[in-house]
Amino acid sequence: MSYDNKDIYPSPSKLQNPESSGSANIEEGDLTTRALEYLKTCLIDMQTLQTDRAALDKAYKAQEQGDEAEGRSKVVMSDVQDTVESLMPSLMRIFYGGTDVLNIKPQGLEDEQKAKLMEEKVNFDIQKGLNGFKLLYTFIKDALLFKLGVIKYYWLNEKKYTKREWKNLTHEEYLLVSQKPRYQINEVVNRMQGKIVPAEMMGMIDPMSAMSMTHDVVGREIEIISKPTAENLPPEEFIFDVHQKFIGDTFCAHKKRVHRKKLLKYGLSEDDIKNEVNRFSGSGIDDAQIVNQRFSDLGGLAFLQDPKDKNFVYIYECYLSDYDEEGNEQPKIVTIYGCKSIKTEDNTFDKPPFVVASPVMISHRIVGRSIAELVVELQKIHTALVRYVLDNIYYQNNAIQVVNPFRIDVDSLLNGNRPGGKIYTKYDIDPSSAIMPIPTNPLPAHIMDIMEYVSTIKENRTGVTKYNQGLDSKTLNKTASGISQIMSASQQRIELIARIFSETGIKDLFEAFVDMNVKFFDREQAIKVNQEWVMINPEDINGKFDVVIDVGIGTGSKEMAFQQKVQMLNMYGAIAGIAGPMTPQIFSIENIKNILRAMWEDQGYRNTGMYLSPDMPQGDPNGQPTQGIPGQPGVAGTGGGSPPQQPSVEEVLSGLSGQGGTPAMGMPIQ
């Protein structure tokens, strides 16, 4: 692969267009026509992406490249896998390593408390309502490997049914169950004095006699689920216009694999499903290539499904905009099966419900470059060099030989070529006249230098060095300052990748959850805040907010970060000693608590709320304390007594110090 054209998508004119069904078969008018035309164009570009992704997945698994020769080394180096897996721990520690990266700021004074509750609600939705770790892990890894990580979000409204049976209920218990909306009764067996009473005779029984009856009830419990949710999409299921700058500029679609029976809910009959020839999907993108490669180590597609199984089909959920008579944009969703629109609806999100991210951004387009893409060429070079070294070692230990078959027993030569083996000559001749080894050139010394150079190129491209992997490098500076400089330089690349993820996909995901809660949250829910359960109502989080993602990772290791925070406390202590009563105008006790929280997180403790007290009520902008809850002990308010005397910032910092101004951490205040 050359370096001058790897970022260029092939021109659609150079690729074979999918077979068009013709406009005569399009029944739903202009919106469906445009959706189909967009699909035809985008699927061509997607085919190019799928080919690249299959090659990247193959390199990640270090599978044979196809150029192996019989009798030569077939080793394949795993530079792509090593680089991606080395980045994952650092990135996951940033986004899921002990602290919430989400900060929600109010846009107005009236939204101050609402912002705090919304922050807790969104963190609860992602970490408790979803498997947040797996969601972010898959999202980041897809981006590092396949150029683009994709998450689809939506508000889930559904009913979950659980079968329930009750035996020998009293009449009062039966009435209690039947009156609860969450229970649906399907079958009842009524008994009086052990005898079954038919349902048609229940109206003839007087209320007093009914009180002595028992009931066997079969029904189901209804659980109403209403919550925001998100799921990772395999990259091949997300179809988009590669020429747009942002998702939703023109067109994107979700290719969904559904059971044929699900098409019935769109109003299609069994005959419609059977007779609809899916010519458009059949001539469009070929997912088998990337899907088969993804599961190649498990047997490929044949391992996952029966090729004769025709129960699943593909539909396209297309997101584009229509326009009213005044030219105003109207976001729409058009669901297409084959060449037929089966559903058209308004897009309540006002934009396509997808978040995407690439680790290396390219200006003015959605999809950037993956880390695997930066390393795959170096993996090929590294593989070729290692094969050369191994082949040379093989020849040194077992060189090519010229054999005279009339003077030596060839069978004993082939079978006895092992330690302790024996080779027989024919007749009484000198063995040197029957077999002669061909000299093998020794391995040139510069080969190892070239391999080291290739490793250096990889480190410069990705920021993953031997030092920040916890390994040793004999060619690098081993002094403390040298190691610090190397780690700082490498972490700049990792921090940039983290910043790209945070300001694109992850921030968009959190903003989507905020918007969904504002628009669709319609029932009371209990969540845990500061080790206490709090009931949140829709009006408690109905406000205007800004989402901020905090991914400041600093430099160096966790131990270095811990010591940096110790120095911060020392500096604050020195400032408090100089400023005195003016200290609260510079920093507060909450700032000190934030430093202590971060120090615990550096030590690997995730739930820092166990070691620090909850935040106290904040004052208003004029510096006055906020009114407390009436009747609550220890909080300002009516009937609650006097608030406890809070220590000053100077007292807090002096409490962290020992005799003679030596802090408990063991570093003197300067």
Side-chain angles (χ1 to χ4, degrees), residues 274-430:
K274 293 178 181 179
N275 295 332
E276 175 65 24
V277 179
N278 204 349
R279 287 170 291 181
F280 182 79
S281 297
S283 58
I285 187 170
D286 181 14
D287 286 338
Q289 183 181 15
I290 178 64
V291 176
N292 189 61
Q293 174 57 41
R294 180 176 297 135
F295 297 98
S296 59
D297 55 333
L298 299 177
L301 290 177
F303 175 80
L304 298 174
Q305 61 185 14
D306 185 351
K308 298 180 181 179
D309 184 9
K310 303 297 183 182
N311 291 327
F312 289 89
V313 296
Y314 284 100
I315 62 174
Y316 292 86
E317 197 174 78
C318 304
Y319 295 83
L320 68 166
S321 294
D322 200 4
Y323 297 89
D324 59 19
E325 295 179 355
E326 298 179 355
N328 298 317
E329 189 175 2
Q330 305 292 327
K332 297 288 185 178
I333 306 175
V334 180
T335 304
I336 292 175
Y337 170 61
C339 294
K340 182 177 182 180
S341 172
I342 57 178
K343 186 179 182 181
T344 301
E345 57 186 322
D346 293 330
N347 183 2
T348 57
F349 291 107
D350 298 329
K351 59 182 180 180
F354 305 98
V355 296
V356 299
S358 294
V360 180
M361 297 179 64
I362 296 181
S363 303
H364 313 300
R365 74 183 209 187
I366 294 175
V367 61
R369 300 189 68 186
S370 66
I371 297 299
E373 192 177 7
L374 302 179
V375 181
V376 66
E377 294 291 344
L378 299 177
Q379 176 171 305
K380 293 178 181 178
I381 297 173
H382 197 186
T383 297
L385 291 172
V386 172
R387 286 181 178 179
Y388 174 77
V389 172
L390 293 177
D391 285 341
N392 188 272
I393 294 174
Y394 299 154
Y395 289 137
Q396 292 287 349
N397 292 333
N398 197 352
I400 299 175
Q401 297 174 329
V402 178
V403 178
N404 185 342
F406 301 102
R407 295 192 169 202
I408 196 169
D409 183 16
V410 177
D411 291 337
S412 67
L413 175 63
L414 297 176
N415 298 325
N417 189 12
R418 63 182 185 275
K422 296 180 180 180
I423 302 174
Y424 300 97
T425 61
K426 295 182 177 180
Y427 320 114
D428 186 13
I429 63 173
D430 183 6

Side-chain angles (χ1 to χ4, degrees), residues 512-659:
F513 270 69
V514 171
D515 292 341
M516 286 192 292
N517 275 294
V518 171
K519 288 183 179 180
F520 306 117
F521 183 57
D522 58 356
R523 63 190 65 240
E524 191 177 58
Q525 182 177 351
I527 67 172
K528 204 169 186 178
V529 180
N530 290 331
Q531 306 301 315
E532 295 182 0
W533 287 98
V534 176
M535 298 300 298
I536 295 182
N537 294 299
E539 58 271 14
D540 295 334
I541 57 175
N542 187 12
K544 295 182 179 180
F545 314 105
D546 293 322
V547 176
V548 179
I549 307 298
D550 181 15
V551 295
I553 62 175
T555 60
S557 62
K558 288 186 177 182
E559 290 75 14
M560 294 175 60
F562 183 86
Q563 292 301 322
Q564 289 170 356
K565 295 178 180 66
V566 171
Q567 293 176 4
M568 291 172 64
L569 289 178
N570 292 332
M571 184 180 297
Y572 281 14
I575 293 173
I578 297 173
M582 302 297 293
T583 301
Q585 298 186 18
I586 304 174
F587 56 87
S588 66
I589 292 179
E590 293 304 317
N591 300 133
I592 303 299
K593 288 174 62 177
N594 291 336
I595 296 176
L596 294 174
R597 286 193 187 98
M599 293 174 72
W600 285 120
E601 291 161 3
D602 290 336
Q603 298 301 309
Y605 296 95
R606 180 165 186 173
N607 191 0
T608 57
M610 296 176 60
Y611 312 105
L612 295 169
S613 61
D615 295 339
M616 298 297 293
Q618 299 291 322
D620 65 15
N622 297 321
Q624 299 298 323
T626 304
Q627 176 105 13
I629 301 174
Q632 181 174 342
V635 180
T638 304
S642 300
Q645 183 67 32
Q646 298 295 325
S648 65
V649 178
E650 301 95 315
E651 292 172 338
V652 171
L653 288 172
S654 63
L656 292 174
S657 302
Q659 297 296 327

Side-chain angles (χ1 to χ4, degrees), residues 117-337:
L117 291 176
M118 177 63 82
E119 183 176 316
E120 297 292 343
K121 176 69 166 60
V122 173
N123 279 320
F124 179 87
D125 290 336
I126 292 179
Q127 296 189 26
K128 302 295 191 300
L130 299 172
N131 188 339
F133 177 86
K134 185 176 181 181
L135 183 75
L136 293 183
Y137 182 91
T138 304
F139 177 65
I140 293 173
K141 194 162 189 176
D142 280 347
L144 295 178
L145 185 56
F146 296 122
K147 299 187 180 184
L148 201 68
V150 185
I151 293 178
K152 182 181 181 182
Y153 59 86
Y154 53 93
W155 189 270
L156 181 63
N157 275 314
E158 66 178 13
K159 293 181 179 180
K160 182 180 178 180
Y161 298 97
T162 305
K163 185 177 180 181
R164 296 291 301 272
E165 293 186 13
W166 296 271
K167 298 289 186 181
N168 296 322
L169 292 180
T170 65
H171 192 66
E172 292 181 352
E173 293 172 337
Y174 168 70
L175 292 177
L176 184 63
V177 170
S178 61
Q179 292 172 2
K180 288 187 176 182
R182 64 173 180 165
Y183 294 122
Q184 178 180 339
I185 297 176
N186 299 328
E187 181 181 346
V188 181
V189 177
N190 307 301
R191 289 186 173 87
M192 178 178 288
Q193 297 180 354
K195 296 182 179 180
I196 297 178
V197 179
E200 58 270 15
M201 296 183 60
M202 288 294 296
M204 304 177 184
I205 299 176
D206 62 272
M208 293 301 296
S209 300
M211 297 300 294
S212 63
M213 296 182 64
T214 61
H215 309 271
D216 294 340
V217 180
V218 177
R220 56 182 181 175
E221 184 176 358
I222 304 173
E223 179 184 0
I224 298 177
I225 300 176
S226 179
K227 65 176 183 179
T229 188
E231 61 178 329
N232 298 105
L233 293 189
E236 68 271 10
E237 291 187 2
F238 180 62
I239 300 168
F240 60 96
D241 180 5
V242 298
H243 302 99
Q244 62 185 347
K245 297 180 181 179
F246 305 100
I247 294 296
D249 281 356
T250 53
F251 172 86
C252 62
H254 177 197
K255 183 178 181 180
K256 301 172 66 174
R257 183 174 182 263
V258 299
H259 197 278
R260 298 173 68 92
K261 294 293 184 181
K262 285 192 175 183
L263 293 179
L264 298 176
K265 72 176 184 179
Y266 294 105
L268 297 178
S269 66
E270 289 285 357
D271 291 337
D272 292 334
I273 298 172
K274 293 178 181 179
N275 295 332
E276 175 65 24
V277 179
N278 204 349
R279 287 170 291 181
F280 182 79
S281 297
S283 58
I285 187 170
D286 181 14
D287 286 338
Q289 183 181 15
I290 178 64
V291 176
N292 189 61
Q293 174 57 41
R294 180 176 297 135
F295 297 98
S296 59
D297 55 333
L298 299 177
L301 290 177
F303 175 80
L304 298 174
Q305 61 185 14
D306 185 351
K308 298 180 181 179
D309 184 9
K310 303 297 183 182
N311 291 327
F312 289 89
V313 296
Y314 284 100
I315 62 174
Y316 292 86
E317 197 174 78
C318 304
Y319 295 83
L320 68 166
S321 294
D322 200 4
Y323 297 89
D324 59 19
E325 295 179 355
E326 298 179 355
N328 298 317
E329 189 175 2
Q330 305 292 327
K332 297 288 185 178
I333 306 175
V334 180
T335 304
I336 292 175
Y337 170 61

Side-chain angles (χ1 to χ4, degrees), residues 490-517:
S490 65
Q491 281 196 323
Q492 289 178 4
R493 294 295 301 270
I494 299 175
E495 188 173 0
L496 177 60
I497 294 173
R499 179 62 62 186
I500 291 172
F501 280 128
S502 67
E503 297 297 335
T504 54
I506 294 178
K507 181 177 180 179
D508 293 343
L509 176 65
F510 285 135
E511 286 180 341
F513 270 69
V514 171
D515 292 341
M516 286 192 292
N517 275 294

Side-chain angles (χ1 to χ4, degrees), residues 461-479:
R461 285 189 181 183
T462 64
V464 179
T465 68
K466 296 181 176 70
Y467 278 114
N468 58 25
Q469 294 182 71
L471 303 178
D472 185 25
S473 174
K474 296 181 179 180
T475 61
L476 299 178
N477 190 352
K478 290 188 176 181
T479 64

